[in-house]
Amino acid sequence: VPSVQLFATCLGDLVAPEAVADAADLLRTAGFDVEFPDRQVCCGQPAFNAGHHAAACRVARTFVRAFDRVTPIVCPSGSCATMISRYLPELVGTAEFDIWELSAFLDHHGAELPPRNAGRRLAYHDSCHMLRELRISDAPRRLLERTGAELVPLPRPDLCCGFGGTFSVRQPELSVAMADEKLGGARGADALVTADPGCLIHLAGRARHTGDAVRVVHLATALAQGVQT
Amino acid sequence: VKTFLAQPPDRFRAIARRALADARMQEATDAATFRLHQGRLDAWQALPRVEELRERAHAIRMETVENLDRYVEEFAAAAQSAGARVHRAATAEDACAYVADVCRRRGARLVAKAKSMLSEEIRLNEALAAVGVEAVECDLGEYVMQLAGEHPAHILAPALEKTAVEIATLFSRAGNAVEPELEALADEARRRLRGVFEAADVGVTGANFAVAETGSICLVTNEGNGGLVTALPPVHVALVGIERVVPKLADLAVLLQLLARSATGQPLSSYTRLLTGPRRDREDDGPEELHVVIIDNGRTNLRAGRYKEMLACIRCGACLNVCPVYRKAGGNSYGPVYSGPMGAVLVPLLVGLEHAPSLPHASSLCGACTAACPVKIPLHELLLDLRRDLVGGGAASRLERIAFQLWALAWSGPRLYRASTTAARLLQPLASLAGPGRRWAADRTLPRLGRRYRDRADMR
């Protein structure tokens, strides 16, 4: 049985553990043996994007120590996958990793998915780095459709949800205004699905705060559990 | 000038908050940027092999930047041979003093000005006013902003935040009463500005490009003011940033294919003028005197390292229109001249990072700007580099630096990570009391730290 290394990501481990468990289930169902390298911590992105490269480098080394370069690494986050593929090797001064964002990996391997979302209308939110740096936009949509979901297009799918790491606390007013617009565009859907824990906690936290009825769900959960109504 | 462009730490957030609270302005900015954004997308789509064209444009711009001294020399020499008087200005003060001197020598009282961001950057209007010369903006949007006593809110649609009613009020206050209808406003502006074109002693323009091969100034406009400003007054002063130079007419052709398409979605702007030298004997119009002022004003600082990419900018505004932060924060949040992603990169480089520390952070790093840039400037990566240099240069607060150092220590290995996140879990009721947690929690529910994924029994 082929193996994958699962990178939970810090946000996944700490605040979206269900989504990580769902990602592991999806990988197992797709025929992979899922290893969880237990020395993993974080890819260093929070500090890297804030300009604190020494701090980022120190944390990114935990990733280098935890993962091998032979077995594919899969993570349920487009932005961490971007950090690891585009920036981490240069930051730490190390060779590249075989890193995959979850939906790209599942789609690449033709994962079969039961119709858990039959009759559901789902809106998919493109997270920025996944869309523009990794150029992954069809895979998550294809997978959702494979589970029977009808995709509801967002008005401006290219627009950022306003999370942006430290941006969310440096410019909180702009950050939530961007979230409100994204949530507003998903009113007609049963759920707003995103492949990034960062977008997830931001959009879900905003919806919860304002009493917005829009449900925000991680892609792994939507695929593995189906969206409940 | 440094203090004029400088951006104190909390200014961006303060002005953005005001912009967010102004529903009418939000609507106007959203409508205008979306229209321009859609125009660019359609125009790019209609262009065969747009990616190839962008690559060529990028290559042309970067080759020029690499050899900027040589091309600027070439341009200056060619412009001089064509009959222009060329002045090299190292600073804004130098450039303004030269233009003021031209005005003094000609006994000029009235200057007609075409749209020029560089003239805003060097504060030419203020410098001329100080020596008793009135400069009137002849681009409609700039004219509106001048009447309002405000700075342009967008590189190419300076008054995009203003409604017809507001403009009518400004017009009426400055002269005859005008109905708040587009046609009536345009007619009134035309009537007033015709008078300025005819009476002006000096015409001032910027330059979209300056062709080294021929010494020509290229002006790209839609309203025709660039034509009248350079045809009617007896003196024309062209302000040229050193990075406006293109080596050859063939290179200009590549860049012109992208400029208007990326700015407004037009294949070409309504008027694209190439001006070489002053009026010659057999010509009917054009100035007796042409002055070309080649201005550095901090641009040389950008030529070290990766930041030179920013000198490739052709000022199309595509990055503003696509930016989710710009469309909500509005142009003035970034400062008085350059806004949006290009402004967030350019202003700190021109004035020094320590004088504009909030601008590199005025972005969610979504990368839409980079994808929209016709000359492929990696804008969001330059913002990342600027953030790194902010920290390296000591501009990040002590508290922030210590926080990240502690974080890095706590997450430097799996055992410490476990211990620190367990502690965080126990302390989470306090998270919303101070620091980033408080800022988050003011408008969002904080995520709950529960059992970590790694602690789940069914993990393997």
Side-chain angles (χ1 to χ4, degrees), chain A residues 4-149:
Chain A
V4 294
Q5 306 175 82
L6 178 65
F7 176 42
T9 79
C10 61
L11 284 181
D13 189 39
L14 296 171
V15 297
E18 291 298 330
V20 184
D22 291 329
D25 283 345
L26 290 166
L27 289 164
R28 270 185 225 108
T29 310
F32 291 89
D33 187 23
V34 179
E35 300 167 15
F36 185 82
D38 57 8
R39 290 197 295 165
Q40 62 178 281
V41 175
C42 165
C43 63
Q45 184 179 201
F48 182 76
N49 283 0
H52 293 266
H53 281 208
C57 190
R58 187 167 190 186
V59 172
R61 285 207 189 91
T62 62
F63 183 88
V64 178
R65 287 195 293 266
F67 290 88
D68 72 58
R69 288 189 175 78
V70 186
T71 318
I73 306 165
V74 180
C75 76
S77 161
S79 77
C80 301
T82 303
M83 174 70 195
I84 293 156
S85 61
R86 296 267 285 110
Y87 301 103
L88 183 141
E90 195 188 321
L91 174 71
V92 181
T94 186
E96 291 185 1
F97 288 89
D98 186 15
I99 178 84
W100 293 78
E101 183 279 326
L102 175 72
S103 68
F105 187 83
L106 292 173
D107 186 58
H108 180 75
H109 290 279
E112 282 182 31
L113 296 159
R116 295 184 182 105
N117 290 308
R120 298 276 177 273
R121 292 165 49 79
L122 303 180
Y124 175 73
H125 161 57
D126 288 284
S127 52
C128 296
H129 296 159
M130 188 160 150
L131 174 67
R132 278 180 282 266
E133 305 223 34
L134 302 180
R135 295 175 193 273
I136 302 169
S137 59
D138 293 340
R141 290 181 167 86
R142 254 197 305 267
L143 295 177
L144 286 169
E145 280 177 341
R146 228 174 276 169
T147 63

Side-chain angles (χ1 to χ4, degrees), chain B residues 146-171:
Chain B
Q146 188 175 34
L147 288 181
E150 293 173 33
H151 296 291
H154 188 284
I155 300 182
L156 110 170
L160 92 171
E161 296 171 358
K162 296 259 180 280
T163 61
V165 174
E166 288 173 311
I167 296 170
T169 310
L170 289 168
F171 275 26

Side-chain angles (χ1 to χ4, degrees), chain B residues 229-236 275 277-280 285-290:
Chain B
V229 162
T230 54
L232 296 180
V235 180
H236 171 202
L275 304 163
R279 176 166 65 200
R280 269 152 281 189
D285 53 24
E288 296 156 23
E289 262 179 57
L290 168 64

Side-chain angles (χ1 to χ4, degrees), chain B residues 228-287:
Chain B
L228 291 170
V229 162
T230 54
L232 296 180
V235 180
H236 171 202
V237 179
L239 309 172
V240 183
I242 54 168
E243 82 289 8
R244 296 297 104 205
V245 180
V246 292
K248 296 189 179 303
L249 286 171
D251 302 321
L252 180 68
V254 173
L255 298 171
L256 285 178
Q257 285 182 68
L258 282 167
L259 178 55
R261 283 187 169 93
S262 306
T264 55
Q266 297 162 285
L268 268 184
S269 55
S270 306
Y271 303 92
T272 303
R273 322 185 78 85
L274 264 176
L275 304 163
T276 312
R279 176 166 65 200
R280 269 152 281 189
D281 287 343
R282 286 166 287 110
E283 291 174 338
D284 296 335
D285 53 24

Side-chain angles (χ1 to χ4, degrees), chain B residues 4 91 258 349 392 417:
Chain B
F4 169 61
T91 63
L258 282 167
L349 290 172
Y417 169 81

Side-chain angles (χ1 to χ4, degrees), chain B residues 30 74 90-91 120 138 158 178 185-186 189 196 214 225 282 288 301 308 411 443 451 459-460:
Chain B
D30 186 43
E74 255 179 65
T91 63
E120 293 287 329
C138 297
V178 195
L185 290 167
V196 175
T214 58
N225 61 76
R282 286 166 287 110
E288 296 156 23
N301 300 342
K308 65 183 166 220
W411 286 22
D443 299 304
R451 195 154 57 106
M459 198 175 73
R460 263 165 246 259

